[in-house]
Every structure is written in C-alpha cells, then in structure tokens.
Amino acid sequence: MPKWTMVKAINNALAIKLEQDPDVLVFGEDVGKNGGVFRVTDGLQAQFGGDRVFDTPLAESAIIGSAVGMATYGLRPIPEIQFAGFTYLAFHQIAAQVARLHFRSGGKINMSMVIRAPFGGGVRTPELHADSVEALYMQVQGLKVVIPSTPYDAKGLLISAIEDPDPVLFLEHMKLYRSFRQEVPAEHYTVPIGKAATVREGSDITVVAYGAMVQSSLKAAEMIEQKLGASVEVIDLRTIAPLDEAAIVNSVSKTGRAVVVQEGPRSGGVAAEVIAVINEQALYSLYKPVLRVTSPDGPYPFTVMEDDILPSPERIAAAIETTLEP
Amino acid sequence: MPKWTMVKAINNALAIKLEQDPDVLVFGEDVGKNGGVFRVTDGLQAQFGGDRVFDTPLAESAIIGSAVGMATYGLRPIPEIQFAGFTYLAFHQIAAQVARLHFRSGGKINMSMVIRAPFGGGVRTPELHADSVEALYMQVQGLKVVIPSTPYDAKGLLISAIEDPDPVLFLEHMKLYRSFRQEVPAEHYTVPIGKAATVREGSDITVVAYGAMVQSSLKAAEMIEQKLGASVEVIDLRTIAPLDEAAIVNSVSKTGRAVVVQEGPRSGGVAAEVIAVINEQALYSLYKPVLRVTSPDGPYPFTVMEDDILPSPERIAAAIETTLEP
Amino acid sequence: MTFSLPTHVTQVISPEGKLVSDPPELPPEQLVEFYRWMVLGRVFSNRMVALQRQGRMGTFAPLNGQEAASVGLAAPMMDDDWLVGSYREAISFFMRGIPITAIMEQWAGYIPISYSPATNVMPIQVVLASQMPHAVGMAMAMQYKKKASAVVAVIGDGATSEGDFNESLNFAGAFKAPLVTVVQNNGWAISVPREKQTAAEYIAHRGPAFGMPGYVVDGNDVFAVFKTMETCLERARAGEGPSLIEVITYRMGAHTTADDPTKYRPPEELAEWEKKDPITRYRIYLRTLGLLNEEKEAGIEEEVRQELQIAVERYESERPAQRAEKYFDLVYNDTPPQLARQRDELLQFLNRER
Amino acid sequence: MTFSLPTHVTQVISPEGKLVSDPPELPPEQLVEFYRWMVLGRVFSNRMVALQRQGRMGTFAPLNGQEAASVGLAAPMMDDDWLVGSYREAISFFMRGIPITAIMEQWAGYIPISYSPATNVMPIQVVLASQMPHAVGMAMAMQYKKKASAVVAVIGDGATSEGDFNESLNFAGAFKAPLVTVVQNNGWAISVPREKQTAAEYIAHRGPAFGMPGYVVDGNDVFAVFKTMETCLERARAGEGPSLIEVITYRMGAHTTADDPTKYRPPEELAEWEKKDPITRYRIYLRTLGLLNEEKEAGIEEEVRQELQIAVERYESERPAQRAEKYFDLVYNDTPPQLARQRDELLQFLNRER
Ligand SMILES: Cc1ncc(C[n+]2csc(CCOP(=O)(O)OP(=O)(O)O)c2C)c(N)n1
Ligand SMILES: Cc1ncc(C[n+]2csc(CCOP(=O)(O)OP(=O)(O)O)c2C)c(N)n1
Ligand SMILES: [Mg+2]
Ligand SMILES: [Mg+2]
C-alpha cells in the first residue's frame, strides 16, 4: 500500500470524488493552477479541467455563499477557504445560511457541501493564520465539524463528508499535512463521521484529543507509561460536532480519570463540552476533576512564543500525572 | 427614584456618556432620527446632534471596522448592530480586529468601544433575528461580553463598558427591554464588569443563569421553594467573558448542587464552560451531576414552537428538582 | 470591455398612463394577467397587515407601491430560471408558483410546509444581501450544467451597501454568470433614505464597475421593468454575462408592521409618490386599450380576495399542529444520538406538562 | 454628482526615463530622497528574503517592483495624516517613521516593540481588505474632530474583491470622508491574475460607482503616483471627499517566501516588466537631471545597507528575550483572575521545564 502524507491523502480523496461524481466541484483561492498554497489540490485542475476545479476572486463570503446556490441546484460543491481563520469573513454564510437552509426550508433543500480549510498552530504562519476555529463551529447547529489526525482518516472522513447530505466543515491541521506518512488504500473507502477512535487503549486514565493534539497526547501517554507504568487510553474525537459522547463516556466510565486536550484557548472550547458530557453521564465514575490542557485565554500567540503557549506533550504529561495522583 | 424599563435605562446611560465625553459617538442602522428599531437611542440625535449620533449605510462589517479606526484615533465609538445575529456579518472585524488590535500592537493601541446589540428569543421576531450569540463571543479572547438582566444593571454595566479601555460586546435581551420596570438612579453610576450577582440567596442548590433566563430561574426557584421548601440560590452571571469563576465556585461549594441555564443550544455553550469550572474547582463538593437546561442542539426554532423549545421556568424547576434528589 | 454609466431612467408608461416609448409585444390576456398579479399583491399585503394587527400573523413587510416592479421582473422568466429574492417580492414568488400559504408560513415563523424548491424559488431571505452569493452560485451551476437559463436576484436599495452584494456582483462579472440582479430601490431602508445609503447617483453604476451593464428603470412602470428584464435575461441565457437593473420605486407603507414611518418620513413624499402609483397608472393604460373597465376590475378584485381567503383558511387550519415534535427532524438528515436524546427528554417533559 | 469612468493611465516618466508630462515641483534633495527610499525598499526586501532563507525571519512578502508606488503614495502625506496599509508597503511605512525593526518584528511573529502609533501608521494588516473600514473610520474621526488631514489606505488588487473593500468605499462616499484609497494593482493575487479578479477593465471604476473620482496611474512612475496623490489629498483635506487611485505595477518576486510563482506565471511576463522597473526608470531620469551618477548611487546603496545592517542587529539582539511571560499582559488592560491563574500555572510549568 502506498505511504502517503495527509496532503496526498486529501488530494486523492478529492480526485476520487471528482472522478466518480460529475456534480462535485472544487474551488477557492489559488486551488487551480497553483494547486493550493499547501498543494492539497495539486494537479486536480490539470486532470479534471478548469470548470471542475477553479480559482475564484478573493471573497470568502461569496465563496461559501455561492456554494449555497450550487448545492441548492443539486451540485456538491467543495469550497476551500485558504486558512480557517478567514472563515470569519464568511461566518454569516456558514452559520446562518449553509447550516440552516435545510432547516429553514422545512427539510426540502439539502446543503450537501464540504468546506475545507487548513487551521492550527505550531508552524510559524504569519499573524492571524493559525486560529483554532472548531469550537466556534461546534456551536453552529446543522453543520458537522470534522478534524482528521492521520492521513488514513483524512481520506476516509473526507469521502464521507462529500457523500454526506448535510454540510461539513472539514478542518485540516497544517502541522499534520506533511509531518508523517501512513499507508493509505488507493481506492474509495469511508471513515464514519460522528465516531471517535480509540487510538491507544489503556485502563488508568482517558486522554481526549483531536487534530494535532492527538500526536502530542500519544507522546505524553508514552512518557507516562515509561515514567509511571500507568496505562493511558487516548481518544481521537475526529468529529467535533456532533460529538461521539458514547466513546467519551465509555472510556471515562472505565478509567475514572480524564484529561482533555485542545490546542486553542480554554474558555468555551471543545474541552468544556467534553467535560460537561462527562459530568452529565459519568460523574460518579470520576476519581478526580477532569483537567484541561489548552492554550491560555488569549489570542493566538506571536509565533516566537508559540512553543511556550500551545500545549506540549510535556504539559499534557504533567496533567496526566496530576490526574493520576490518588 | 424613577422607575425605568431597560430601554430607558440604556438610553439614559448613552445620554450621560454622550454628555460627559465628547469622544463618544453612537452610530448604526436607524439609530438617528428613528431612534433605533427598539427606540433605545430615541431622542439622542435630537439632543446631541447628527455628528454624535448618526445612521450608517447598511454594512455591519464596516460599522464595526470603522469603529476600529475611530478607537485608534482616540474616540470611544458605540456602534449598534440592529440584531445580534447580524454580528455574524462583522464576525471577522469583531473577532480578529477589534478584539486583537490591543494585543497585536503590543498593547499600544486600545480598542475602547462598546458594540451594542439586541438578542434573544421569545418575542416572535422574524427568522434569523433571535440567535443567542454570547457563547461564540465568549471564545473571542480580548473581548468582554456583558449581558444585563435588569434595568439597573443595564445602565451601570453600560457606563462601565463605555469607560472600559477594552472592547465590550453589550448584549441586550429583547424580551427584557420592556418586560418590567425598576428604580434606576438618574445620575452616573457603574456596575462592575466581570462580577456576577447573587440575585437570590439559598443554601440547597445553585442556579446559574444570565439574560432573560434570570427571570425564568427566579420563577423556578420560587416554584421549588413552594413545592419542596428547598432553598435555591440564583446567580446572574452578568458578564459572560471574563466569567466570574469565584462567584460560581463559592456558591456551588456551599450548596453542592447546581443547574446551569442558557437560552441557546446546548453544545459548546456558556453552560459547558460553567460546568468545566465547577468540575475543576468544586468537583469534590458536588453531590450530583450539574444539569444543563438549554435549547436543544438545533437552529433557533420557528417562532410557533419557541415556547416549547426555549427553556421555561417549568423546565428549570424540573431540573432543580432532579438535582435536589438525594 | 467597459460598459458606460447609465444616465437616464427607462420608462414606457408615464404616471398618467400614457405610452412614452414602445410597449412589449404581449397578448391581451397577459396584459390583464399582469394587472391581476398587481392587485393580488396589494390585497395580499393589506390582508397580511390586518392579520398581523389581529395577532394572527408575525411581523410583515408590506409591498404596496412595488407591485409593478415585482410583476415586471418575474413575468419574462422561464420555467428553468430561478428566482432568489429577499422579503418584499411576494408577487414575484407567487408568479413562480409559490403558494400564498408558503409566504404566510414564513412570515408567521412556521415550518414552510407548502414551500417547494421545485418552483425554482429559494425561501425568503431576511438577512440583507445574503441571497446574492446564492444567486451567483446557482447561476454558476447553470453555466456548469450548460443550461440556457438564468437566475434573477432581487435586493433592496439599502442592502446594496452590504459586502455580500458587491462580492457577488464581482463574482458574477468575473465568471460571466447568467445572473440578472434587480435592485428594488424603494427610496428607503427602514429610516435611511437612499441619498444617505450611497453617494453615487445611481446604484446601477455598480454594474460597469463590476464589468456588466447597468440599467435604471422606472419601477412603477411594469412595461419598463419587463422590457429591461427581457434584454438582460436574453443576454444571460446567451452566455454573454450578468446585468444589473435598478428599478426606482417607492415603499408606500411602513417598513414592516413593527415600523412607524411617521418618525422619519415627510408625509408630502408619500403624497408625491401616490401620484405615481403603479397600479393606477397601469389601470388607466389598460382602460385606454379597452382591456379593463370598472366591472372587470371589480371582478378581478373579488376573485383575488377569494383566493386570499382560501389561503388564509388553509394557513390557519394547519398552524396549530406545529410544536416541538417537528423541530428535531429538520436539523440534520440523520439525527445524531445526543439530539435524539434531547428530543426524547424534551418531548417527555412537554407531554407531562400539556 | 456623477464622476466619469477613468479611461487612461496617467504617466509622467516613461519606462525609458523620459518625461511625458509635467513633473511635480520638488526640490532636488527630495528627488534624490525618493530614490534613496526606493533603493532602501529593494535592499530591505532582498535582505528579508535572505534572512527568511536562513531561518532568521518568518514568511515575508517581497515588495520588489512596487517601490515607486510606495514612495509616491507616502511622500505627499503630512504629519497629521494616517497611513493604513496592508503588508507590501514597507517603504511607505518607513517614510512615515516606522522603524525597520518594527516591520521585521511583525513578519517574524514577534511583539512589535519598536512599533509606535505615534507615527500615525496602523500595524501591517495581513487579512485582506480588513484595514479598509479602519481607514474609513479614522477618516470619519478626523472629520468629526474637524482636522484638515486625511487617511491614506493601501490595498492589493486581489483584496478589492472582498466585501470590506466595497463596504468601505461606500461608507467613505456616503460620509464624504477624507480618505484616499490606493489600490496597488501588481497584476497578481498569489496565483490569480488581475483579469480573473474582476471583469471591469479598471478597478478604479469602482470610484464613480461609490460616488468618488477614480484614477488609473502608472505605478512604476513615482511622479505620476505622487501627483495624483497630491490632488486627492488636497481634495480630502478640503472636505470634498474621498478618491480612489489604482496604480498599475508589478510584483516582480514571489507572492511570499512560501510561494513559487513558476507554478503559475509565464517567465516572459516578468521579463516584460523588468523593462519597466521603477528604480531603473527613475535613476535614468535623475541622471539626466545630473542628480545621480554611479558614485552617488553606490554611496546611497552603501548607506542603505548599513542602515539595514543596524536594524537586523537590533532585531536579532532583542528577539530571544520574548517568551510566554510577555503574552499575558497584552490580552486585556487588566488581566482577569482566570487568565492570571493560567499565567501562573503556565510559567511555573515552563520554569520547571527550562
Ligand atoms: C444584515 C442585516 N442587517 C440589518 C437588517 C435589519 N433590516 C431589515 S430590513 C432593513 C432595511 C433594508 O432596506 P432595503 O434593502 O432598502 O430593503 P427594503 O426593506 O426597503 O425593501 C434592515 C436594516 C437585516 N435584516 N440584515
Ligand atoms: C481574507 C483573506 N483571504 C485570503 C488571504 C490569503 N492571501 C494572502 S495574500 C493573498 C493575495 C492577495 O493579493 P493582492 O490583494 O493582489 O495583494 P498582493 O499580495 O498582490 O500585494 C491571499 C489570497 C488573506 N490573507 N486574507
Ligand atoms: Mg429600500
Ligand atoms: Mg496583487
């Protein structure tokens, strides 16, 4: 099986769907000839033509809004927003139009589309390019939010997203684009939306993470096992909305301890929702408070202090250690 | 002392600051001659002139963005967005520009401004007008989010907000605009931002609420006292960001039980953050899981089903009753 | 290619009901049909305001004064075309096949059970200019599917100040999308008059700025609107690109039932525009042609009132049935487990309470 | 009032360095000073690219080719004016008094310790068109404060497709704000050529559409830019309202250090524009006047290199000091208790680890 980066896996998922379904269109800023600023759409215009894969003027709201019209007409648009932070310029179209047209039309119009956007920190992007946006969109009801953490998942989840009748925001962590390769089948396959993955089995404590924090959590788990001999379970949420509550609750009910890791700032984030779910459905299993490992409550940091501010494997390990104390 | 509605109290706070500070400007859609669609700015243009209180073209992003320029120049703009749901069209300017310029400039530019907007449900507004937006903006670091629940607080908090060197999103629940009157001093006074209020003392359970849900929670507390003789404490958060964690933790540490009420959908809301705070700082005091009373995880409902979908005093009372069970 | 700035207002029928340029070539029945739609629009609007006053309807935006524009823009559309509008073009929606009850449902805050996308009409859009990128995207989809059809987008004068309007015109120009955008310039955006909305003399000047022709048309003149629409629709269907039409009309009523225009608008202005009433003008013209007389007019009005009465009855008879049960199925195509749990809990609670 | 669509490109110095219309009246030292700024810009840009290659700098957007435009737009500004730009106008920023280190700090992702708002310059804006409403608001503030000053806003051609650009021009027109907007049309928006960005022949056509004059200027001609800016600044300061200037120039380098233009851009195009290089052209002209010769030019280049060397040293010596400690004070004016607690916990952890 070929070993692919996440960039290649996503490119391949797009190619498969462009091939299979003439209603699929890929568009956005620089996705055509340039193949995207991260080369995610590299070669797709050459292969499928400029009417399937094309550049747009620079206007995020119109990019998303035009996808609404296309989806209403029956196409399956896959608009790209060059960096997820720039979805803020299309926030209204995403939150009030894309996510609600199915509802507002009494269920008569489907917004089958995938909004793709790179996000996340740790790669020294210019200012305002690295925001973690998933917790905002978790609040946007009617939208699904998916964040893959491996090349294999990225391809399978993206294909599921494109085939989903509901709109999906597909967030690709920039740090994962090329950080490692994985065996990825060349053919069509899906990974289900709404299902978390247990990426490391363990019995003493549960670490809930997603995106680039999954790798950091796995490292932390390793450290803790080495240091304390404790058995750490790591859950990769994969879908942020709707959350796989059962996976979280089952694991915490088993381990009785949990740490939730999120790259973005603390207040009102995904970790808070995970804790609320644990509180509601597994409180009596808890031996200790669930700790959050997050960035502090401030804007995305100046990049020179990125490494200090973003959660590191060490910080996750420290939180695990604290939570393991009797 | 005069008895005022919240509309009048806010109007008076604006008038006091327009009078005291020549750098204060009030602007937005229909705030001038028309006095705002809810009459909140009624008479202000006549009193202070068209260069202090004025209408703008219909462009939410430019309304907020122009306030950034004004604040940088040293003014204290008070832009109004006609309905809080329409802040989505200015989301980028609020989240990435207003909230971050102080940070990005190395602390050298202050974004002293108050963005006022009516929000909230239960008053049969047209589609897309009633969104609860506070949980989104709670995630916007650098911004303060204030929601008054009484005329007295509205005036004092708004004056604090205008005098604050940092930007404040001031959300006014439409249902509270005229639902009751309260004695409000005619002169200048402030209510501190970042401090919750204990609006009802009690010892058996804590109800955390804000906005229109404070009134509903007080009704529920009354019902429970009548029915079960239990003593219910009700906390009005007043500021959503930064949250008054101490007030929440102190109360829950005392009562050992809590219900958190929020008008908007459940996932990723303010209630989740409150529960995360309780989990982190008062877990060992808890006898029971903290329950959330919220709208379900869907878009704002069709208004004909508003009363079913939004939390009612009865639903809050039911959650209190469940939580009080031994 | 550079288009020049429009300099005059196209008119076919003067306010006095006289022809000032060539009328479109249309069969007499269709001319009367136009009149019927205009009357239906006005009666509908007045009835909606009355229902709202009686607490039987939500907030409503009256359309009085804009009947000719709504008829003129919808009439030359073909079946495969799509209409993407805002909230004051009920007549255009009706002409496309949207039932009256569907519009009532939407203003009442009710699931639009009688709405159907098979009419090629998107639901009413209440967020200013948000429909514009939808319209462009749909036009791009038609282009991609190689259809010789077009999208008609409708928007108010005030909403043209929104970013979405301008981004969309620019998209349409850049992609040469088959889009005809109609700005219903009714002089006001709630309390903000047109002069304060933009410094340009005509909103239609935006056309050339985004690489498409711009037209200014007397919006109270159904023929002028119809003819300009025909030109632009042909252009769009022929793959020659988008156009922008500004129709100059007047909002004779309040902005919505929640608005009080006496706060901001001089009564003389309304009086002035009453002289230019689109229905009166067209009625005089049709009488000159012998197509209308008092009796025929009364017949049309009666017919229209009955149609409305049936719609009101249908709307009201179906309304009480909608409660929380219906809510949960509309969020996603497949209800996720937590939403299903929330549904069960809520319904259990409500059933206990009821 | 209706402004007409601009139809020609204003030029004063031809690509061959010859005068084709009247030059601005400026003292010789200032003419040489312009040259010095252009050279500083190019040397700065090349140095930044080199630093980035060496891992000593973040992603950087080279400005090569746009030197004349940047000098010409900043030169006629007065002390009380404000400059609100995007990210490719470092020279304009320098001319307003922003230290070189401040720009380095911003591209390096570093607290802008040497930035000062007292220069009347806002920080670099990397989110397209977001600076535009800021510029309008500032111009409105000047108007409110009855200052006879103006705001200069700078934006790229691609960014003019964003809603914020258009909302802002409309605001500026509607409020008659003292704003001069300069579109640095360098032919490309990353890989998207100007022709695909908008169907209009000139972006400056947007001026009349929003009720203000629009100009098209040869952006590689410092005099043409300077003279048009003077006209527009005077207009603004005199309370006559905003203007829009499109300067036609070329991005000779990559979009940023992260970009590879060979993926999308034909090499012939660059070769064509090299013949129109703004520095060469101006150098020839100044030589004709006897204001420059090889020796003087070498002197200027040496001076500029030294200035840059000092800036690099200052930037690098201060850089290592910035760690998480500095972060927390910048979020709010008063740090709320939870943030203080987060700070204490994080610093304790980091101190343990270090
Ligand atoms: C984005 C947005 N901002 C504000 C509003 C509130 N609002 C509703 S209608 C209206 C005026 C619109 O005027 P215009 O576009 O001229 O249309 P008209 O109502 O005159 O038909 C305003 C400000 C809204 N619905 N959406
Ligand atoms: C809102 C937004 N969308 C996308 C980007 C990514 N981006 C950065 S520069 C650029 C191209 C800008 O082109 P132009 O405005 O012509 O300026 P130039 O870089 O040519 O000077 C893009 C798409 C961004 N920074 N902001
Ligand atoms: Mg209008
Ligand atoms: Mg460019």
Side-chain angles (χ1 to χ4, degrees), chain C residues 157 186 188-189:
Chain C
D157 51 310
N186 63 5
W188 293 87

Side-chain angles (χ1 to χ4, degrees), chain D residues 8-14 17-25 217-218 221 223-225 227-228 285:
Chain D
H8 73 288
V9 182
T10 304
Q11 194 179 68
V12 178
I13 312 177
S14 75
K18 300 229 156 57
L19 282 187
V20 297
S21 61
D22 288 343
E25 285 177 26
V217 174
D218 183 338
D221 173 354
F223 282 177
V225 178
K227 280 178 70 179
T228 314
Y285 172 72

Side-chain angles (χ1 to χ4, degrees), chain C residues 140-201:
Chain C
M140 291 165 70
M142 287 176 178
Q143 199 176 38
Y144 172 67
K145 290 287 193 184
K146 302 201 168 33
K147 296 273 159 64
S149 53
V151 176
V152 175
V154 191
I155 182 167
D157 51 310
T160 63
S161 298
E162 297 281 358
D164 271 0
F165 175 71
N166 298 286
E167 288 192 4
S168 301
L169 286 194
N170 188 52
F171 252 56
F175 289 112
K176 250 186 155 186
L179 174 72
V180 181
T181 300
V182 182
V183 176
Q184 285 241 27
N185 173 0
N186 63 5
W188 293 87
I190 310 187
S191 71
V192 182
R194 167 43 205 94
E195 315 83 74
K196 286 194 169 184
Q197 200 63 241
T198 180
E201 190 184 351

